[in-house]
Amino acid sequence: MTTVGFIGLGIMGSPMAAHLVNAGHEVIGFDVVPESLTALTEAGGKAASNVAEAVTGAEVVITMLPNHPHVESVVLGDDGVLQNAKDGILLVDMSTIRPESSLAIAEAAKAKGIRVLDAPVSGGEAGAKNAALSIMVGGDAADFEAAKPLFDVLGKTVVHVGPHGAGQVVKAANQLVVGGTYALVAEAIVLLEASGVDAKTGLDVLAGGLAASRILDLKRESMVARQFQPGFRIDLHHKDMGIALAAARQADVSLPVTGLIAQLVAAARAMGHGSLDHSALLKVTEQLSGRG
Ligand code: NAD
């Protein structure tokens, strides 16, 4: 049994923390929105009233926060993890943030004797709820092995992909593929409907052939029905496309399709759809053809 401080109990963090409790770990959670702690306490975990309270007695601290400013303030801030956690603990950041922020956090933590892994996830809300996430982990191999039993509670595909920041680079690659797939499924729906072909029937065929994908499996029905409650918010995917483009610049490579997808996601946000699921890219595609 491990004592886990869990910071950030939103769409993803809430079911993940509950799985850790159900696996027998002691979990003390904190979120700035107190209602977010309900699922954790109902599962048998404890609610803390600030970061310090959540991490003081922890052996492992997990953060699942929106973006790098949140992670930096929770970890590096005056009342944050590094100020309050015991020496030698393991800090596992499962948020999706810029690789360079993961590197900076690992460096700052090292000075305090705290080990760090960047461990972003893929699989969405369904993956979090079903403990079926893909987890891509950057950091030292020994620290990965130490955290593996916890990762195995949360995910099905758990891979050590390289040193600090490597997990975030793999996640950036994941997000450009996911964004591109949504954009093309949206175009398929617009084409089918504008041609008078039933979109659901058409996508059912696609899902059984070479065009098959997890996104077609999980989302084709809700997209055709225009159900866009998140899931994964457009605002967060906009953040992730920024991370992907910055990582491309850092690596000195040109990713033209990623650039286009980033603009489509930015358009969805500019149209006011930031709080909708990323499958709402369909709204942008429809608008481009005057069908919105
Ligand atoms: P979310 O907005 O639902 O949850 C984030 C939580 O962090 C919120 O409950 C918020 O109140 C809390 N928070 C913010 N600042 C805080 C602070 N200073 N201290 C404590 N709590 C704070 O987001 P989410 O969808 O759960 O995503 C979390 C991370 O996981 C993001 O980086 C996202 O990109 C990534 N992610 C999300 C999904 C998905 O499908 N939702 C999938 C894979 C990865």
Side-chain angles (χ1 to χ4, degrees):
M1 192 193 85
T2 304
T3 304
V4 180
F6 204 116
I7 319 289
L9 295 145
I11 289 176
M12 300 296 282
S14 179
M16 291 164 70
H19 287 314
L20 292 171
V21 174
N22 292 332
H25 301 290
E26 185 182 7
V27 181
I28 307 160
F30 172 66
D31 194 292
V32 282
V33 178
E35 303 83 70
S36 307
L37 292 157
T38 310
L40 174 63
T41 49
E42 281 175 4
K46 291 187 190 147
S49 43
N50 52 48
V51 173
E53 202 180 310
V55 307
T56 306
E59 297 156 277
V60 173
V61 172
I62 297 178
T63 45
M64 193 50 167
L65 296 159
N67 198 2
H68 69 94
H70 311 87
V71 179
E72 285 161 3
S73 105
V74 163
V75 175
L76 309 175
D78 284 345
D79 296 315
V81 177
L82 298 193
Q83 290 296 333
N84 291 286
K86 287 183 290 199
D87 282 358
I89 67 135
L90 192 54
L91 167 62
V92 183
D93 178 32
M94 304 192 77
S95 329
T96 304
I97 63 171
R98 325 181 287 200
E100 68 259 38
S101 294
S102 296
L103 288 166
I105 286 166
E107 200 54 41
K110 197 171 165 190
K112 295 249 178 192
I114 290 176
R115 302 165 292 144
V116 180
L117 295 170
D118 49 292
V121 307
S122 171
E125 186 182 15
K129 284 186 168 162
N130 300 327
L133 292 168
S134 285
I135 308 178
M136 42 222 104
V137 188
D140 291 350
D143 296 337
F144 171 74
E145 288 306 328
K148 181 92 173 19
L150 295 178
F151 290 144
D152 286 340
V153 171
L154 305 173
K156 290 225 168 84
T157 305
V158 178
V159 184
H160 181 223
V161 293
H164 294 300
Q168 298 296 354
V169 176
V170 174
K171 176 66 185 180
N174 183 82
Q175 290 307 80
L176 66 90
V177 172
V178 168
T181 307
Y182 270 119
L184 286 174
V185 171
E187 292 192 5
I189 291 172
V190 168
L191 174 65
L192 290 164
E193 290 180 348
S195 309
V197 178
D198 182 68
K200 184 188 174 308
T201 310
L203 293 187
D204 285 349
V205 181
L206 265 64
L210 189 57
S213 69
R214 292 278 292 154
I215 286 170
L216 270 180
D217 286 348
L218 294 174
K219 293 286 199 161
R220 66 181 188 273
E221 279 189 26
S222 59
M223 286 178 78
V224 171
R226 272 61 174 180
Q227 290 166 355
F228 298 125
Q229 72 275 19
F232 185 69
R233 288 181 285 119
I234 288 278
D235 279 343
L236 287 175
H237 212 131
H238 180 66
K239 172 218 24 154
D240 291 354
M241 294 314 295
I243 293 171
L245 289 174
R249 179 174 278 253
Q250 184 86 19
D252 257 328
V253 293
S254 164
L255 305 181
V257 179
T258 300
L260 176 57
I261 299 157
Q263 295 308 313
L264 291 169
V265 176
R269 194 160 182 266
M271 287 175 186
H273 306 319
S275 315
L276 298 183
D277 189 70
H278 51 170
S279 53
L281 263 188
L282 176 55
K283 283 175 166 282
V284 177
T285 313
E286 285 181 305
Q287 196 97 10
L288 288 172
S289 294
R291 301 177 65 85

